[in-house]
């Protein structure tokens, strides 16, 4: 393809809102253009890279017996009410009405639609198993769309859904998809980790995320330096370091702590380490409870772990300062578990039931005579003890894991911290959707049974950008061959010179005949501009054809990744490129 026809417009400057490198490069390289926040046009170069991601996905899914379909993006409210998600999905769901005042939403995911499809068609055990997938544009009304395609409102997803007779079969389907995902991300040439993850509001009980490792990633991962275990920090388990003390229980004693607002202040003033201090946090839940958590002063509460301990769907929210005051009678910094009272509280439109029972992080177990806020401004209590001085609801793993913590799985190695971009997700759903939507089949004895399901997503557009986040340098993108929009970028310098044009023409024909995709920069631009643009848009090989070289029967091949330059005759350049691309595919 010729540059002059390809509608590629590069920019010298990145737009202000492009915070991360891959986003800047996508815009500067003319790959994407923003229409509205989180909504983009994929220009030709981007589309070619997306098609490559899609092809690898299709190859691998078709190979394990999945079948491609395409479902509607516009979905009726009634179906989402049947599954119970019309309200529960929250503000991510973009809802709209048609001319007849009927409500619809734009599909953020397709469990409802696919389950409806299958429940209507599948009758008996003979119709199972099935694994259906689609590659399609999704819409999620993300609160903060950002980083270009990473967190779009409109984005391309591959979503697959498996339907099996039994949970054993469903878990086998899960394993098949897990293995297919590994092949997909291996073929894409990305550095990734597979991590244990929280099931979120899709439900189900077994789930893994495929995370591309990159500093700019929004997810925080912990990986053991000794065993294979890797996990999203949201659920990274921490081991208990229980203490035993023979110290006698002391009486409670109040002492003044003016101007000591933080744990660090308190540590300084008492001379105790932050690990020896206890802090108290308050949360409100979706089911209108106020809960109190205590943990070591040096630790942070993990809201996802707390959500799971509470048996609710969404992570609870921290109480604001005023709300804390209403519950405890003191401002944050002077609050504690002693003297709390169960009561009803009204914050804004909502009524909450506050409890005097305290959720305790397991790492406080065995602690005695500790210091906590007195629920009176500028006062603390020392000599506070479990059960005697406040009600313990239970001991739970509630703290955020940290780099250097003992691995929660093997207990031998230590966690290392990584940032990740979630590009894929596999879920075992069980009968969550088949139950609410009544998707059943008749078993061999003619008895009606619920279908067992799994769902499997890949962020196609996010994956493409994640590849750039992993493969770029100061000059621009350096596409891995499997994803590159073109394999070879020919910089034709003296385009109006007939001998140069002929060399370029012959070369392109040879490369294309060997199955390579070639972009020819035939613009009337200075060599410097062409080289800069070639580095920016990042095709794996660049071949420079100019009058001076052609007269000597010499053209230059540049390997984008290493910047290595090789002078070759046009014939040798062609065979080199064909072989190089073949070995890097
Ligand atoms: P996230 O935690 O990043 O919001 P999610 O867990 O809600 O994502 P899933 O429901 O698991 O997303 O969707 C499957 C895949 O779709 C994700 O693994 C991710 O790669 C992609 N994806 C999800 N949301 C977006 C988005 N807003 N923009 C681009 N890709 C997305
Ligand atoms: Mg996910």
């Amino acid at each position: 393809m010729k540059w002059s026809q390809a509608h590629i417009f590069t920019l010298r400057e990145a737009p202000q809102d492009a915070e991360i490198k891959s986003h800047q490069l996508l815009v500067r390289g003319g790959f994407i253009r923003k229409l509205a926040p989180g909504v983009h046009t994929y220009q030709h170069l981007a589309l070619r890279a997306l098609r490559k991601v899609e092809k690898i996905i299709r190859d691998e899914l078709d190979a394990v017996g999945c079948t491609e379909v395409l479902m509607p993006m516009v979905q009726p409210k009634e179906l989402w009410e049947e599954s119970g998600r019309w309200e529960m999905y929250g503000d991510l769901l973009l809802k709209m009405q048609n001319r007849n005042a009927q409500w619809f939403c734009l599909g953020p995911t397709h469990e409802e639609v696919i389950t409806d499809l299958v429940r209507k068609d599948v009758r008996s055990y003979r119709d199972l198993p099935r694994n259906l997938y689609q590659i399609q544009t999704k819409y999620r009304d993300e609160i903060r769309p950002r980083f270009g395609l990473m967190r779009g409102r409109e984005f391309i997803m591959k979503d697959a859904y498996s339907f099996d007779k039994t949970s054993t079969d469903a878990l086998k389907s899960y394993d098949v998809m897990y293995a297919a995902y590994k092949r997909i991300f291996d073929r894409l040439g990305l550095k990734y980790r597979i991590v244990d993850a929280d099931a979120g509001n899709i439900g189900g009980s077994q789930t893994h995320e495929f995370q591309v490792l990159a500093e700019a990633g929004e997810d925080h991962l912990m990986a053991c330096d000794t065993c294979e275990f890797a996990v999203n920090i949201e659920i990274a388990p921490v081991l208990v370091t229980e203490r035993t003390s023979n110290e006698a229980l002391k009486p409670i004693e109040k002492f003044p702590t003016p101007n000591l607002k933080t744990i660090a202040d308190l540590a300084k003033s008492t001379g105790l380490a932050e690990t020896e201090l206890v802090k108290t946090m308050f949360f409100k839940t979706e089911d209108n409870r106020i809960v109190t958590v205590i943990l070591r002063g040096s630790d942070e509460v993990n809201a996802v772990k707390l959500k799971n301990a509470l048996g609710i769907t969404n992570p609870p929210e921290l109480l604001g300062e005023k709300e804390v005051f209403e519950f405890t009678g003191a401002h944050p910094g002077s609050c504690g578990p002693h003297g709390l009272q169960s009561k009803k509280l009204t914050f804004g439109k909502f009524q909450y039931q506050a409890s005097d029972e305290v959720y305790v992080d397991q790492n406080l177990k065995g602690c005695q005579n500790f210091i906590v806020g007195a629920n009176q401004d500028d006062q603390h209590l020392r000599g506070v003890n479990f059960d005697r001085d406040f009600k313990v609801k239970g001991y739970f793993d509630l703290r955020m894991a940290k780099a250097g913590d003992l691995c929660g799985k093997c207990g031998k190695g230590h966690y290392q911290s990584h940032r990740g971009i979630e590009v894929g997700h596999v879920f075992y759903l069980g009968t969550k959707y088949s139950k609410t939507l009544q998707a059943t089949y008749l078993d061999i004895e003619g008895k009606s049974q619920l279908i067992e399901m799994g769902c499997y997503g890949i962020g196609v557009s996010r994956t493409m950008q994640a590849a750039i986040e992993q493969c770029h340098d100061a000059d621009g993108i350096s596409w891995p061959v499997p994803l590159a929009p073109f394999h070879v970028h020919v910089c034709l310098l003296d385009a109006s010179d007939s001998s140069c044009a002929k060399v370029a023409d012959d070369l392109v024909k040879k490369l294309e005949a060997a199955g390579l995709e070639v972009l020819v920069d035939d613009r009337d631009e200075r060599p410097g501009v062409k080289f800069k643009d070639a580095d920016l848009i990042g095709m794996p090989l660049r071949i420079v054809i100019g009058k001076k070289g052609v007269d000597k029967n010499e053209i230059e091949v540049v390997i984008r990744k290493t910047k290595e330059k090789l002078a070759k005759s046009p014939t040798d350049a062609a065979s080199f490129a064909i072989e190089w691309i073949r070995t890097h595919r």
Side-chain angles (χ1 to χ4, degrees):
M1 171 168 280
K2 288 184 176 155
W3 185 301
S4 57
Q5 296 166 348
H7 197 81
I8 306 169
F9 294 91
T10 58
L11 304 174
R12 215 164 288 156
E13 300 289 334
Q16 290 253 310
D17 67 349
E19 295 166 61
I20 61 171
K21 210 65 205 179
S22 53
H23 184 194
Q24 294 167 2
L25 292 171
L26 278 173
V27 179
R28 284 192 52 219
F31 288 78
I32 60 168
R33 289 291 181 254
K34 183 167 96 179
L35 178 67
V39 180
H40 297 86
T41 295
Y42 310 106
Q43 306 226 69
H44 187 67
L45 291 177
L47 192 61
R48 292 183 77 104
L50 288 171
R51 294 284 180 254
K52 300 224 164 155
V53 179
E54 291 174 4
K55 167 146 188 358
I56 290 174
I57 292 174
R58 286 194 171 95
D59 279 358
E60 295 299 335
L61 294 190
D62 293 349
V64 294
C66 299
T67 304
E68 188 170 358
V69 295
L70 186 58
M71 289 177 265
M73 198 182 164
V74 175
Q75 310 182 2
K77 174 187 179 188
E78 292 69 31
L79 192 54
W80 281 74
E81 281 185 326
E82 231 184 303
S83 74
R85 289 209 295 182
W86 182 256
E87 292 303 332
M88 214 183 75
Y89 208 87
D91 292 337
L92 282 179
L93 198 63
L94 183 65
K95 300 168 179 175
M96 63 212 168
Q97 272 182 309
N98 72 359
R99 64 174 78 203
N100 301 324
Q102 290 161 322
W103 282 98
F104 294 86
C105 66
L106 285 185
T109 177
H110 278 67
E111 283 79 12
E112 280 76 4
V113 177
I114 195 89
T115 309
D116 178 59
L117 184 85
V118 166
R119 73 177 169 184
K120 285 175 178 157
D121 285 336
V122 165
R123 289 276 156 261
S124 94
Y125 66 95
R126 278 182 241 112
D127 303 326
L128 295 172
R130 286 284 183 272
N131 194 329
L132 306 175
Y133 75 96
Q134 65 173 348
I135 296 179
Q136 192 214 31
T137 297
K138 297 274 186 274
Y139 192 94
R140 292 184 184 179
D141 216 8
E142 297 278 357
I143 187 164
R144 259 192 85 200
R146 57 197 174 133
F147 304 150
L149 308 179
M150 287 289 191
R151 185 162 298 284
R153 286 194 169 134
E154 203 183 280
F155 59 96
I156 303 173
M157 196 203 285
K158 184 287 298 171
D159 44 329
Y161 305 87
S162 61
F163 298 86
D164 281 283
K165 294 190 281 286
T166 63
S167 60
T168 317
D169 288 356
L171 286 167
K172 270 189 211 145
S173 297
Y174 183 97
D175 291 342
V176 167
M177 291 301 272
Y178 182 99
Y181 269 40
K182 277 215 262 193
R183 286 190 294 276
I184 290 168
F185 291 109
D186 286 343
R187 277 182 66 184
L188 289 168
L190 299 172
K191 285 197 277 298
Y192 66 96
R193 291 292 298 240
I194 304 170
V195 306
D196 286 24
D198 188 58
N201 66 0
I202 292 202
S205 51
Q206 183 175 321
T207 170
H208 288 93
E209 289 171 352
F210 286 68
Q211 295 270 0
V212 164
L213 300 180
E215 265 315 300
E218 287 186 287
D219 284 341
H220 193 169
L221 320 174
M222 288 290 160
C224 179
D225 59 11
T226 305
C227 74
E228 280 293 294
F229 187 54
V231 59
N232 194 310
I233 195 161
E234 289 184 337
I235 58 157
V238 196
L239 297 179
V240 199
T241 39
E242 220 175 293
R243 357 166 164 215
T244 44
S245 163
N246 297 323
E247 210 184 14
L249 300 194
K250 293 181 183 160
I252 291 189
E253 188 192 327
K254 195 187 283 185
F255 64 104
T257 47
N259 304 321
L260 304 183
K261 294 282 175 244
T262 65
I263 284 288
D265 294 340
L266 198 62
K268 216 167 174 188
S269 135
T270 57
L272 293 170
E274 288 187 20
T275 45
E276 294 305 311
L277 293 169
V278 171
K279 73 178 172 197
T280 313
M281 314 287 286
F282 305 95
F283 292 84
K284 51 185 169 191
T285 67
E286 66 198 14
D287 56 355
N288 298 35
R289 283 185 272 168
I290 305 287
V291 294
T292 305
V293 174
I294 61 172
L295 70 170
R296 290 190 306 189
S298 52
D299 293 336
E300 295 302 327
V301 178
N302 180 325
V304 173
K305 287 184 180 179
L306 180 57
K307 169 203 91 168
N308 291 332
L310 293 167
I312 53 176
T313 316
N314 295 302
E317 247 180 82
L318 262 182
L319 285 200
E321 256 194 67
K322 265 200 191 142
E323 296 170 335
V324 169
F325 185 80
E326 271 193 53
F327 178 30
T328 68
H331 290 95
S334 301
C335 304
H338 177 64
L340 294 175
Q341 281 167 14
S342 292
K343 54 176 155 183
K344 284 207 161 39
L345 290 164
T346 308
F347 300 145
K349 287 190 292 192
F350 302 104
Q351 261 222 339
Y352 293 89
Q353 179 60 50
S355 163
D356 60 350
E357 292 179 330
V358 177
Y359 287 78
V360 182
D361 178 65
Q362 59 184 11
N363 272 295
L364 281 181
K365 218 173 187 177
C367 240
Q368 285 183 335
N369 300 323
F370 41 88
I371 296 174
V372 295
N375 293 327
Q376 186 183 343
D377 280 347
D378 300 331
Q379 300 286 330
H380 275 73
L381 302 174
R382 60 167 69 93
V384 173
N385 287 283
F386 294 119
D387 302 314
R388 186 192 74 181
D389 300 327
F390 60 93
K391 286 190 199 160
V392 174
K393 175 77 185 178
Y395 297 87
F396 304 88
D397 176 8
L398 295 176
R399 83 161 167 93
M400 208 59 110
K402 289 187 238 180
D405 280 344
L406 271 183
C407 167
K409 188 102 174 204
C410 73
K412 295 194 186 86
H414 295 86
Y415 281 141
Q416 284 182 334
S417 156
H418 299 273
R419 304 298 301 189
I421 301 167
E422 183 197 319
V423 287
H425 208 159
V426 290
F427 275 101
Y428 162 58
L429 293 170
T431 55
K432 183 178 158 71
Y433 292 95
S434 52
K435 204 187 254 159
T436 50
L437 295 166
Q438 277 305 301
T440 57
Y441 70 96
L442 294 178
D443 69 13
I444 200 155
E445 278 141 24
K447 275 211 316 242
S448 175
Q449 304 282 359
L450 291 174
I451 300 177
E452 281 275 337
M453 290 174 60
C455 71
Y456 317 90
I458 292 181
V460 175
S461 42
R462 184 185 280 183
T463 299
M464 193 255 287
Q465 183 171 340
I468 299 176
E469 200 52 48
Q470 244 176 25
C471 307
H472 70 265
D473 60 21
D475 297 319
I477 302 169
S478 167
W479 284 106
V481 173
L483 281 184
F486 292 94
H487 299 119
V488 178
H489 183 142
V490 173
C491 285
L492 178 55
L493 299 187
D494 305 285
S496 54
D497 179 88
S498 61
S499 55
C500 285
K502 167 129 187 27
V503 170
D505 221 39
D506 289 349
L507 180 76
V508 172
K509 279 201 186 109
K510 256 191 213 154
L511 297 178
E512 287 182 346
L516 269 57
E517 293 152 86
V518 187
L519 175 69
V520 181
D521 187 351
D522 58 339
R523 291 173 300 169
D524 181 18
E525 285 286 0
R526 283 180 290 114
V529 172
K530 295 195 173 194
F531 297 158
K532 262 207 153 66
D533 276 346
D535 278 345
L536 175 62
I537 68 172
M539 304 316 143
L541 291 179
R542 183 211 307 175
I543 298 183
V544 185
I545 302 175
K547 178 95 178 86
K548 253 197 252 157
V550 166
D551 289 346
K552 289 192 289 180
N553 195 36
E554 199 178 276
I555 58 181
E556 187 182 60
V557 184
V558 186
I559 299 169
R560 172 65 186 86
K561 191 164 178 204
T562 58
K563 300 267 171 77
E564 197 182 341
K565 290 182 178 164
L566 309 155
K568 299 206 175 275
S569 73
T571 314
D572 287 353
S575 28
F576 173 83
I578 291 163
E579 187 54 21
W580 195 91
I581 294 295
R582 195 185 62 77
T583 52
H584 288 82
R585 259 191 219 270

